[in-house]
Amino acid sequence: MAATKNYGPTRLVVGAHYGVVDFIAQRLTAVIMAVYTLVLIIGVLVMPSFSYENWKALFTFHVYALPLGQILATLFFFALAWHAWIGVRDIWMDYVRPAGVRMLLQVLTILWLVGSIVYFAQILWSI
């Protein structure tokens, strides 16, 4: 019986190039979150007083008829969820060996992230 070779040009590679897309997505979402966080910090620093009305205005300002504050906050939260999904999914794939347990953890992570997005949207778009 010949031993199979798991190295060199004959090795079985699954998921080719998924790492590049995830790497770029992780960096892109990090940039989106960093820029939005800086804008939010600047908004808080130039706020005349720290009140509920001013805090609410950071997230609900409009440019013409476009609710830009809510759109930017939603973009930030989707970027956060995508960023978290990539990171947590990689943790499950790297450290959880039994396929069933890994799949369960990934499904629970997806449910948690989708639930968080729905809850976020319900709060932000109801103000």
Side-chain angles (χ1 to χ4, degrees):
M1 178 172 168
T4 57
K5 213 166 84 168
N6 285 333
Y7 57 89
T10 60
R11 126 181 146 200
L12 176 65
V13 178
V14 292
H17 302 293
Y18 289 131
V20 174
V21 172
D22 290 340
F23 179 84
I24 292 171
Q26 194 98 34
R27 284 4 178 228
L28 181 66
T29 55
V31 168
I32 291 170
M33 292 186 298
V35 168
Y36 184 76
T37 301
L38 286 174
V39 168
L40 201 60
I41 289 171
I42 291 169
V44 168
L45 291 176
V46 300
M47 192 183 293
S49 67
F50 197 74
S51 65
Y52 173 74
E53 291 77 24
N54 289 335
W55 181 251
K56 182 179 167 184
L58 280 175
F59 299 99
T60 58
F61 68 90
H62 287 70
V63 174
Y64 299 109
L66 191 67
L68 193 59
Q70 291 168 316
I71 291 171
L72 292 175
T74 302
L75 175 66
F76 169 83
F77 203 80
F78 275 110
L80 177 67
W82 192 8
H83 191 88
W85 165 244
I86 292 169
V88 173
R89 186 207 59 208
D90 287 351
I91 290 170
W92 298 146
M93 287 180 3
D94 288 346
Y95 296 109
V96 179
R97 289 290 168 220
V101 175
R102 184 180 338 133
M103 182 64 77
L104 175 67
L105 290 171
Q106 288 177 343
V107 167
L108 290 175
T109 302
I110 290 171
L111 290 174
W112 171 68
L113 288 171
V114 168
S116 297
I117 289 172
V118 169
Y119 187 59
F120 163 81
Q122 179 186 6
I123 291 171
L124 181 68
W125 291 92
S126 67
I127 5 184

